[in-house]
Amino acid sequence: MGVAGLALVAPAAQASAASSFVADINAARAAQGLRPYAASSQLTAVALGQAERMAAAQKLYHNPGLASQVTSWRYVGENVGYGPSVPTLMSAFMNSTPHRANILDRQYTQVGVGAVTVNGTIWVSMVFREPLYASSPAPSPHPTKTATKPAATHTVQRPANAHHTPKPVQKAPPTAAASAASELPPGVLCSAAPAVVDRVRGVQDLERDARLLDQTQPLVLGFQCGRSLPMTGVLDRATLAALGV
């Protein structure tokens, strides 16, 4: 994707940055006694497309088409961020509880990373998947250690900025809202009441600009649950259609 007026880094260097992210992700997993993620060419392509779009727009936001662009998934998620270097971004991800959770997840088995550098800033998307038809991996021989450092909030000034997509439930819509509600994070209300619809519609501009993204995801998840949609936590195509947007 061309970016007029911006200095792009050569594709080979961008691929090297993406490979560094994958290596760092798997090193973090190994340090917790977890199996490495397998690199997926499909996830890499999806992640690179999102990184290119963010770099072109100079805006941080989740991929609204993630749930449809990634195929054959049982669980799918995304971390997105921008910053001056791979180590700085990895530090930001690992010091944020929800991003760290995607990196150290016990059910995801695959990852794809896309990284684009523009004017010295790396824009990155990490896409995680547990395939729909793959058997779950055997339990890890070592328990995951609990991080004791408090998670940094997105209002804290730091050189890297990042957002995550929470792991949704199974791709197939639930048979009833009650069963879907059991899969929601604690405190999230399963509802598609008119007031909720209005609030979710108001999330669109925030979603595009990636402001208050983590705070709005529970609202989106609750609406998706209430409408028996795949609970991706982002304004994907199915959710926008249900909103009449």
Side-chain angles (χ1 to χ4, degrees):
M1 177 182 294
V3 184
L6 298 178
L8 290 168
V9 171
Q14 293 177 168
S16 176
S19 296
S20 295
F21 278 114
V22 173
D24 287 350
I25 288 169
N26 281 333
R29 292 180 63 79
Q32 299 296 322
L34 300 171
R35 290 174 173 78
Y37 286 143
S40 161
S41 59
Q42 184 196 60
L43 300 187
T44 299
V46 171
L48 180 58
Q50 179 62 11
E52 289 175 338
R53 288 187 291 273
M54 292 189 299
Q58 292 289 286
K59 289 184 179 181
L60 186 67
Y61 64 98
H62 280 303
N63 181 357
L66 182 68
S68 58
Q69 291 173 16
V70 176
T71 61
S72 188
W73 54 266
R74 182 166 182 251
Y75 295 109
V76 65
E78 179 186 42
N79 285 349
V80 296
Y82 67 90
S85 67
V86 172
T88 301
L89 273 162
M90 280 301 300
S91 177
F93 285 134
M94 293 302 292
N95 284 307
S96 168
T97 299
H99 305 96
R100 178 186 174 95
N102 276 344
I103 291 170
L104 301 182
D105 192 85
R106 290 175 173 270
Q107 290 178 284
Y108 291 140
T109 60
Q110 299 175 342
V111 70
V113 178
V116 175
T117 303
V118 178
N119 293 339
T121 296
I122 300 174
W123 297 81
V124 61
S125 167
M126 302 173 173
V127 179
F128 308 88
R129 172 175 66 182
E130 180 188 358
L132 180 61
Y133 300 110
S135 58
S136 298
S140 177
H142 303 292
T144 300
K145 297 177 182 178
T146 301
T148 56
K149 183 177 180 180
T153 66
H154 296 310
T155 57
V156 174
Q157 291 185 352
R158 60 189 184 198
N161 295 272
H163 294 281
H164 85 296
T165 301
K167 183 165 64 179
V169 297
Q170 294 184 16
K171 187 175 183 180
T175 56
S179 62
S182 66
E183 301 289 345
L184 286 172
V188 176
L189 178 64
C190 180
S191 173
V196 173
V197 173
D198 289 340
R199 291 181 63 196
V200 174
R201 284 189 179 129
V203 167
Q204 291 181 80
D205 290 337
L206 298 177
E207 178 89 8
R208 303 298 183 215
D209 292 336
R211 290 179 289 116
L212 304 177
L213 193 59
D214 287 342
Q215 290 90 333
T216 61
Q217 284 174 336
L219 177 64
V220 175
L221 282 169
F223 171 75
Q224 290 169 334
C225 171
R227 286 292 179 90
S228 295
L229 297 169
M231 288 189 286
T232 61
V234 296
L235 295 176
D236 54 31
R237 291 186 179 90
T239 303
L240 291 173
L243 289 169
V245 176

